[in-house]
Amino acid sequence: MSPPNPAPFLLIERDGAVLTARLNRPETRNALTDPAHMNEVVDLCRQIRSDHSIKVLVLTGEGSAFCAGGNVKDMQQRGGIFAGTPYQVRDSYRDSIQRIPLALYELDVPVIAAVNGPAIGAGLDLACMCDIRIASDKALFAESFVKVGIVPGDGGAWLLPRVIGMPKASLLAFTGDTIDAAKALAWGLVAEVVPADQLLAHAQTLAQRIALNPSHALRLTKRLLREGQHVRLDTLLELSAAYQALAHHTEDHLEAVNAFLDKRPAQFTGR
């Protein structure tokens, strides 16, 4: 098992209403193995949910990789979440890495993945947990669990087909093949591909554009998009009516309407 690193797993920066979180284990290509690291991600989501002054989260990797997935050396040595009996490993997955897709799914603010390099296995799935994926031209993607004799244990079998469709998701999952940024763009896995040295600035500029909008409207819109993935149309329409009623009674809605009619920039307060 890799020696412990006392530095935080997440490096957090804030610029106004935009939070940027960098996975900070470049020596392991930001692998996800240590439960403490996963707890940092879950805790960050909890903090953002309760802070309505934060409107957008940008997630990226420190160093050359976005996230290399599970640490293969830890798999070999049965360390980290791979330690113990089959029952203990099952509980480790449920109590650690599987909390991340649930936390990001329940997070109401938009999340942008700035995929700076390889996003492999759980790294690809982590990118799919985000709402928008922007790729560096050096990014690579693989649903590679089968290559090391395991299955997507972090929700990838649910996430990936919803992003690129079942046929392409099956192709990636059954072969474990790696695709480059250009193919990821053609397949709809990412929204944009930009030069590596422009990636983070581009993602943060997009985040600031999103953050110009009212906090409540952003959070309710994200929730509708999430719920729309698995409910019937009539159910979503009923939920939309309820959310719309809430939105119509916010101060920011009235400010947006007044600013539109006055032809001036809106000044939102989050109320």
Side-chain angles (χ1 to χ4, degrees), residues 103-124:
L104 283 169
Y105 192 83
E106 290 300 316
L107 183 59
D108 289 334
V109 307
V111 183
I112 300 171
V115 185
N116 54 299
I120 307 300
L124 171 54

Side-chain angles (χ1 to χ4, degrees), residues 39-271:
N39 288 339
E40 286 190 43
V41 178
V42 173
D43 290 343
L44 176 64
C45 291
R46 184 183 303 114
Q47 293 166 21
I48 293 173
R49 282 198 73 187
S50 63
D51 185 348
H52 281 257
S53 69
I54 299 171
K55 295 184 179 181
V56 188
L57 171 65
V58 177
L59 185 65
T60 192
E62 191 75 1
S64 62
F66 177 71
C67 176
N71 190 323
V72 178
K73 290 183 179 178
D74 285 348
M75 293 182 193
Q76 181 186 52
Q77 298 166 16
R78 300 290 174 88
I81 65 171
F82 314 118
T85 68
Y87 293 103
Q88 289 172 321
V89 173
R90 178 191 182 213
D91 284 343
S92 291
Y93 269 79
R94 296 169 71 187
D95 295 339
S96 57
I97 196 166
Q98 289 187 351
R99 296 173 64 209
I100 295 177
L102 293 173
L104 283 169
Y105 192 83
E106 290 300 316
L107 183 59
D108 289 334
V109 307
V111 183
I112 300 171
V115 185
N116 54 299
I120 307 300
L124 171 54
D125 295 342
L126 178 62
C128 289
M129 295 170 203
C130 303
D131 303 295
I132 301 170
R133 285 159 295 283
I134 309 297
S136 152
D137 53 9
K138 296 181 179 179
L140 299 170
F141 302 87
E143 189 76 350
S144 56
F145 298 92
V146 70
K147 291 289 192 181
V148 288
I150 57 176
V151 303
D154 58 353
W158 190 92
L159 293 158
L160 191 58
R162 283 168 167 77
V163 175
I164 61 173
M166 186 61 77
K168 290 184 176 66
S170 298
L171 180 61
L172 287 182
F174 295 157
T175 64
D177 287 350
T178 300
I179 63 172
D180 61 15
K183 181 167 283 189
L185 179 63
W187 283 10
L189 178 57
V190 301
E192 295 179 274
V193 176
V194 300
D197 60 353
Q198 300 174 24
L199 174 69
L200 188 55
H202 185 85
Q204 290 174 331
T205 297
L206 173 61
Q208 293 292 351
R209 281 170 48 206
I210 294 171
L212 291 174
N213 296 302
S215 174
H216 293 302
L218 282 172
R219 291 181 179 230
L220 292 174
T221 298
K222 174 167 176 176
R223 179 53 49 193
L224 283 177
L225 288 170
R226 290 294 203 200
E227 294 301 319
Q229 292 183 297
H230 61 84
V231 301
R232 300 184 324 187
L233 175 59
D234 58 344
T235 303
L236 186 71
L237 289 172
E238 185 63 31
L239 187 60
S240 301
Y243 283 6
Q244 196 73 303
L246 292 173
H248 273 294
H249 280 264
T250 61
E251 292 180 20
D252 281 347
H253 163 60
L254 183 59
E255 166 62 11
V257 170
N258 288 337
F260 177 82
L261 294 174
D262 294 342
K263 296 182 173 57
R264 60 171 173 80
Q267 300 294 323
F268 298 123
T269 62
R271 295 195 294 268

Side-chain angles (χ1 to χ4, degrees), residues 12-20 51-55:
I12 308 297
E13 304 169 8
R14 182 164 183 175
D15 182 7
V18 174
L19 212 64
T20 299
D51 185 348
H52 281 257
S53 69
I54 299 171
K55 295 184 179 181

